[in-house]
Amino acid sequence: MKIIIAGAGAVGTHLARLLSRDHQDCILIDEDENRLDGLDVQYDIMTLQGSPTSIKMLKEAGIEHTDLFVGVTPDESKNMNSCILAHALGAAKTVARIDNYEYLAPHLSPFFKELGIDSLIYPEVLAAIDINNGLKMSWVRQRWDVHGGALVMLGVKLRETCEILNRPLRELCGPDDPYHVVAIKRGDDTLIPSGNDELRVGDLAYFMTTKEYISYIRKISGKEHYADVKNVIIMGGGKTTVRAALTAADYMNIKIIEEDAARCERLNVLLNDSNTIVIHGDARDVSLLIEEGIENTQAFVALTDNAESNILACLTAKKLGVRKTIAMVENLDYVSMAEGLDIGTIINKKTVAASHIYQMMLDADVSNLRSLMMADSDVVEFVAAEGSPVTRRPVKELGLPFGVTIGGLVRDGKGILVNGNSRIEAGDSVMVFCHEHALKKTEKYFKKSKLW
């Protein structure tokens, strides 16, 4: 597959990294030569300096033979215009990064497709979804609902209170048990576990279960004493904050603390109809946090553009008694540090957006894909094709690649946990967990094939 990425910023470079592991034919275009410096060697891709809205440049990049063109520069208009040109010049599919929420209205999708833009990506909206999913349960680091909650993935940090520590998983996750442990982050290592692996204190464990057993997972992981989130303080009033506040659960009371007075006025206009209070001040000021009721706050969310400030603010909130903290960390070099400091949930817009785009490049029918940033793994929702290899044998006889496990499936709207004796049927939505390097090897199992 040939892919052209316009924009060597955060999203573009991370997307290039994802593609390089699959040895895709990828070209990265940017007007700033400094942004491109060394990326061709680091990621095994081709780089070109120039404007993505230059017809000459697009032709030089081979746009007429391109399967996917991605516009992810900081300029929305440039992204959309370059997609329109790319489509007119022969690109099979185009994706544009935007920052205008109005464009995401479902009734506008046919309009943009007619223009030549197949898909629109708004990273702040995607990040807000992750934030609100994280706020739903104070004891969970990550939550992902599949098919409206038919299956649920929960990422839980395990403490000494966990009931299922130091026992082989084969004793805990049998065919009749209501959950599977599908990935474990332990220090710098990620395990796609087998039956002989055990859970330990400090692990970030990923459970696959169904909605009715969420409370059971809470019990066995020793998190029943965590208070549910009702009061939330958000530090920073940027676009991600606005989208998160507008889409938060109705029962949550949100306070936004923003340093810029003019931005506070704008937030009051944008959030007029929501259950949100805007406060002018510095959320790193302990006296202000105490004044605003930090002792009665169950979640603190730091969403400024400064990763260091976000991390330090979350540490302060934890010292003041807040159990649930979420930090926006755009610099990937700080992610492992934030995890080591036990910050809580880490949000990175570029990995969320890049994963969303990456699923468009897979040949199999992929409904959803998420990179588990903290676990260096992917979670993929494959739809099994008629006659695909995965439908021909029980799971235990499929010979799945090393580092791959199937957590569950959705059939006719019902979530089903999968074990070695399970049979996957055509049309099933199947949740697959795998190390990053194993994704392309796995998708062939879900494509229609004459040979097996």
Side-chain angles (χ1 to χ4, degrees), residues 281-339:
D282 186 347
R284 295 168 296 182
D285 183 344
V286 173
S287 61
L288 176 61
L289 291 177
I290 293 173
E291 182 182 337
E292 294 303 330
I294 191 72
E295 71 278 3
N296 296 317
T297 298
Q298 293 81 41
F300 181 89
V301 186
L303 300 179
T304 75
D305 293 331
N306 189 303
E308 297 97 321
S309 293
N310 293 341
I311 292 170
L312 289 173
C314 284
L315 287 174
T316 301
K318 289 182 79 71
K319 286 186 177 180
L320 292 172
V322 179
R323 282 198 178 274
K324 179 72 176 182
T325 57
I326 299 176
M328 180 79 77
V329 180
E330 286 302 282
N331 187 334
L332 287 175
D333 294 334
Y334 291 154
V335 169
S336 59
M337 178 184 70
E339 169 64 11

Side-chain angles (χ1 to χ4, degrees), residues 1 12 17 41 85 164 200 241 265 283 302-303 317 344 350 400 439:
M1 178 178 268
R17 185 187 75 83
V41 176
L85 289 172
I164 54 175
R200 301 176 186 172
T241 297
E265 293 295 328
L303 300 179
K350 65 185 177 184
L400 293 171
L439 180 56

Side-chain angles (χ1 to χ4, degrees), residues 101 124-133 135-136 234 239-252 254 270-271 273-276:
Y101 185 72
E124 287 77 11
V125 169
L126 298 175
I129 293 171
D130 277 4
I131 291 166
N132 284 327
N133 280 339
L135 289 175
K136 288 177 182 177
I234 302 180
K239 293 179 180 178
T240 305
T241 297
V242 172
R243 300 321 317 169
L246 288 173
T247 54
D250 293 338
Y251 59 83
M252 290 185 185
I254 298 175
L270 293 172
L271 302 172
D273 295 329
S274 67
N275 191 24
T276 304

Side-chain angles (χ1 to χ4, degrees), residues 38-330:
L39 292 179
D40 53 346
V41 176
Q42 184 178 359
Y43 295 138
D44 189 25
I45 60 173
M46 181 178 176
T47 59
L48 288 175
Q49 181 189 2
S51 172
T53 57
S54 165
I55 293 176
K56 180 181 178 181
M57 171 59 65
L58 292 174
K59 287 185 174 180
E60 182 181 343
I63 192 66
E64 67 274 14
H65 303 299
T66 297
D67 298 290
L68 181 64
F69 178 88
V70 182
V72 285
T73 76
D75 188 328
E76 174 187 75
S77 297
K78 185 174 290 184
N79 294 335
M80 299 180 74
N81 288 334
S82 62
C83 282
I84 292 169
L85 289 172
H87 172 79
L89 293 170
K93 185 181 291 186
T94 65
V95 182
R97 176 183 178 174
I98 62 168
D99 55 20
N100 187 336
Y101 185 72
E102 176 189 4
Y103 294 162
L104 294 179
H107 72 275
L108 291 177
S109 180
F111 167 74
F112 285 115
K113 285 189 177 182
E114 189 174 340
L115 287 177
I117 306 172
D118 295 291
S119 185
L120 298 170
I121 299 293
Y122 193 156
E124 287 77 11
V125 169
L126 298 175
I129 293 171
D130 277 4
I131 291 166
N132 284 327
N133 280 339
L135 289 175
K136 288 177 182 177
M137 296 183 290
S138 60
W139 55 280
V140 169
R141 290 289 176 92
Q142 286 180 283
R143 171 175 172 161
W144 188 22
D145 290 2
V146 182
H147 282 262
L151 287 175
V152 181
M153 185 194 73
L154 305 172
V156 183
K157 189 78 169 183
L158 303 183
R159 310 294 185 184
E160 291 83 355
T161 53
C162 178
E163 299 177 5
I164 54 175
L165 298 175
N166 307 315
R167 293 169 57 190
L169 291 180
R170 65 175 180 273
E171 298 179 6
L172 303 172
C173 308
D176 299 323
D177 288 299
Y179 68 92
H180 290 328
V181 178
V182 291
I184 303 170
K185 177 68 182 298
R186 179 175 297 154
D188 294 329
D189 297 324
T190 298
L191 306 175
I192 302 296
S194 67
N196 295 322
D197 289 303
E198 300 177 353
L199 296 173
R200 301 176 186 172
V201 171
D203 284 352
L204 179 59
Y206 290 89
F207 295 85
M208 176 62 73
T209 188
T210 50
K211 186 175 290 186
E212 62 266 31
Y213 288 105
I214 289 176
S215 59
Y216 179 72
I217 301 300
R218 183 175 188 171
K219 177 182 179 299
I220 63 174
S221 59
K223 303 289 184 176
E224 288 184 301
H225 60 289
Y226 278 58
D228 292 331
V229 174
K230 182 179 180 182
N231 299 317
V232 183
I233 291 179
I234 302 180
M235 169 180 164
K239 293 179 180 178
T240 305
T241 297
V242 172
R243 300 321 317 169
L246 288 173
T247 54
D250 293 338
Y251 59 83
M252 290 185 185
N253 302 309
I254 298 175
K255 292 182 179 180
I256 299 172
I257 302 178
E258 167 60 43
E259 285 189 276
D260 186 278
R263 182 60 181 172
C264 287
E265 293 295 328
R266 180 61 178 157
L267 289 171
N268 279 319
V269 174
L270 293 172
L271 302 172
N272 183 51
D273 295 329
S274 67
N275 191 24
T276 304
I277 297 174
V278 179
I279 299 160
H280 179 219
D282 186 347
R284 295 168 296 182
D285 183 344
V286 173
S287 61
L288 176 61
L289 291 177
I290 293 173
E291 182 182 337
E292 294 303 330
I294 191 72
E295 71 278 3
N296 296 317
T297 298
Q298 293 81 41
F300 181 89
V301 186
L303 300 179
T304 75
D305 293 331
N306 189 303
E308 297 97 321
S309 293
N310 293 341
I311 292 170
L312 289 173
C314 284
L315 287 174
T316 301
K318 289 182 79 71
K319 286 186 177 180
L320 292 172
V322 179
R323 282 198 178 274
K324 179 72 176 182
T325 57
I326 299 176
M328 180 79 77
V329 180
E330 286 302 282

